[in-house]
């Protein structure tokens, strides 16, 4: 049997009430003989403010490092997980997020902010760039530029947002089930569960899909066989941010193409988006980040063996003719 390829996994879990993803990070770090490092996780959510399409957030994430400093996993928030949370709960002391309505400004703030800082000082580095001071308005710490335009705000994290816990693995080269279980078994033992909107995302090396035949196969597989795939993998109907591939992309791959650069250039002009059943944006070079093809339709699970079994089926389908 051909070995399974390297792959990274994103597994969405939910900490029990009163616990958090930091508690799991500390447990996993202790088992690995390492430590926990705070990081910022970038996410976005819709806005109810007129004229503002979305807000961009930096939320608390935690890298788990082993005894030699190797990355074991990263635990972050996922803004799509909401149904199991008590939105009216009081913010947990010490937990905050940084919010902006401009992704570029938020990236600048992130570059000059230390995730280990508290809410009252996290924006100071960015404030120095703008030549202004951070103002406190109630529980919110607000940074404006010299003209009074909003740059970013640090605010207490909304109630129970410390509970969502997306477990992000580094690329796993072999023994996927065992590697996943090393992370998920302690989570289950600590009372972590699968949230209502959960999914498992799989990241595969993008390079093999930068080929006319391989790319055509992926688009046809996820386009023409969408409902069959969703039945095969038990795709969660409550999972948010899933959508079919754009029709114009499906039409493109039916044509004859002389080479990959020609197809890539045409595909990059379609309405392809990250939030599809299969995320092709990085295969096409449209987004920064890991150089991967991301499959987003696997059912939520906290069982490493079940996830590895679904992954093996996915690999088989990606390699086989669409039929």
């Amino acid at each position: 049997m051909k070995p399974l390829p390297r792959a990274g996994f994103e597994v969405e879990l939910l900490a029990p009430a009163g616990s958090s993803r930091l508690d799991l990070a500390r447990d996993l770090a202790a088992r690995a003989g390492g430590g926990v490092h705070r990081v910022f996780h970038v996410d976005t959510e819709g806005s109810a403010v007129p004229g503002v399409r979305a807000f961009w957030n930096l939320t608390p994430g935690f890298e788990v490092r082993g005894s030699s400093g190797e990355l074991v996993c990263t635990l972050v928030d996922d803004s799509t997980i909401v149904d199991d949370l008590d939105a009216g709960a009081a913010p947990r002391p010490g937990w905050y997020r940084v919010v902006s309505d401009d992704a570029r400004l938020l990236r600048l703030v992130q570059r000059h902010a230390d995730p280990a800082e508290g809410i009252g000082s996290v924006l100071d580095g960015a404030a120095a760039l703008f030549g202004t001071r951070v103002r406190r308005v109630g529980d919110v710490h607000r940074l404006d530029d010299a003209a009074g335009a909003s740059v970013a705000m640090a605010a207490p994290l909304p109630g129970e947002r410390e509970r969502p816990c997306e477990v992000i693995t580094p690329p796993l080269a072999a023994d996927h089930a065992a590697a996943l279980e090393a992370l998920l078994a302690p989570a289950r033992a600590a009372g972590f569960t699968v949230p209502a909107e959960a999914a498992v995302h799989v990241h595969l090396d993008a390079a093999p899909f930068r080929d006319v035949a391989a790319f055509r196969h992926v688009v046809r597989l996820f386009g023409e066989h969408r409902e069959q795939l969703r039945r095969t993998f038990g795709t969660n109907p409550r999972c948010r941010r899933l959508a079919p591939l754009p029709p114009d992309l499906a039409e493109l791959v039916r044509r004859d193409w002389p080479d990959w650069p020609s197809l890539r250039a045409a595909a990059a002009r379609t309405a392809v988006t990250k939030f599809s059943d299969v995320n092709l944006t990085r295969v096409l070079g449209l987004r920064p980040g890991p150089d991967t093809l991301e499959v987003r339709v696997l059912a939520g699970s906290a069982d490493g063996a079940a996830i590895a079994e679904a992954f093996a089926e996915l690999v088989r389908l990606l390699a086989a003719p669409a039929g």
Side-chain angles (χ1 to χ4, degrees):
M1 182 177 178
K2 186 177 179 180
L4 293 173
R6 288 167 56 91
F9 296 81
E10 298 173 356
V11 182
E12 294 170 348
L13 302 178
L14 186 70
S19 185
S20 73
R21 53 187 175 273
L22 175 56
D23 296 317
L24 179 59
R26 288 170 171 161
D27 183 7
L28 294 175
R31 293 169 185 267
V36 176
H37 303 266
R38 295 180 68 98
V39 296
F40 279 132
H41 174 60
V42 181
D43 205 350
T44 183
E45 59 184 337
S47 166
V49 177
V52 179
R53 182 177 177 182
F55 283 112
W56 293 81
N57 300 310
L58 301 177
T59 56
F62 306 95
E63 286 184 350
V64 178
R65 297 275 174 177
S67 58
S68 300
E70 73 280 8
L71 180 63
V72 175
C73 66
T74 306
L75 308 183
V76 301
D77 191 5
D78 185 324
S79 63
T80 67
I81 297 173
V82 296
D83 288 354
D84 295 310
L85 304 181
D86 178 5
R92 188 163 180 149
W95 289 68
Y96 67 87
R97 62 178 175 173
V98 178
V99 184
S100 178
D101 62 1
D102 188 319
R104 294 170 299 177
L105 288 176
L106 193 72
R107 288 193 292 269
L108 181 64
V109 170
Q110 182 181 16
R111 185 177 179 84
H112 293 273
D114 182 351
E117 288 287 339
I119 188 172
S121 54
V122 69
L123 295 176
D124 288 351
L129 290 176
F130 287 92
T132 59
R133 292 181 178 274
V134 177
R135 295 186 297 115
R136 181 169 181 173
V137 183
D139 291 334
V140 174
H141 297 257
R142 177 178 176 128
L143 171 60
D144 298 335
D145 68 11
S150 176
V151 175
M153 295 182 292
L157 203 64
E160 295 206 323
R161 287 251 45 108
E162 71 280 358
R163 291 180 61 200
C165 179
E166 184 173 60
V167 181
I168 303 175
T169 76
L172 306 179
D175 298 325
H176 300 82
L180 287 165
E181 270 298 282
L183 304 175
L184 300 181
R188 294 194 305 269
F192 282 66
T193 55
V194 178
E197 308 92 336
V200 171
H201 299 167
V202 178
H203 288 260
L204 292 156
D205 180 15
F209 302 99
R210 294 191 178 116
D211 169 86
V212 172
F215 188 81
R216 176 182 289 126
H217 171 62
V218 171
V219 173
R220 292 189 63 192
L221 178 66
F222 282 87
E224 298 174 15
H225 302 272
R226 185 178 192 236
E227 293 308 316
Q228 180 181 341
L229 284 178
R230 294 169 79 84
R231 289 192 297 272
T232 296
F233 293 115
T235 304
N236 185 355
R238 298 174 70 176
C239 182
R240 297 178 169 89
R241 293 180 174 176
L242 287 181
L245 290 172
D248 49 353
L249 182 62
E251 176 60 31
L252 270 182
V253 300
R254 296 190 182 101
R255 306 176 193 171
D256 291 329
W257 293 94
D259 52 35
W260 166 248
S262 302
L263 174 54
R264 190 216 70 82
R269 293 192 293 269
T270 68
V272 66
T273 173
K274 171 184 177 180
F275 300 121
S276 296
D277 294 354
V278 58
N279 172 13
L280 300 170
T281 59
R282 288 169 177 162
V283 177
L284 297 171
L286 298 177
R287 288 174 59 90
D291 193 24
T292 63
L293 174 143
E294 179 192 15
V295 176
R296 300 170 58 84
V297 296
L298 272 63
S301 176
D303 183 329
I307 294 170
E309 182 178 351
F311 171 58
E313 176 64 9
L314 173 64
V315 171
R316 186 188 71 81
L317 291 170
L318 288 172

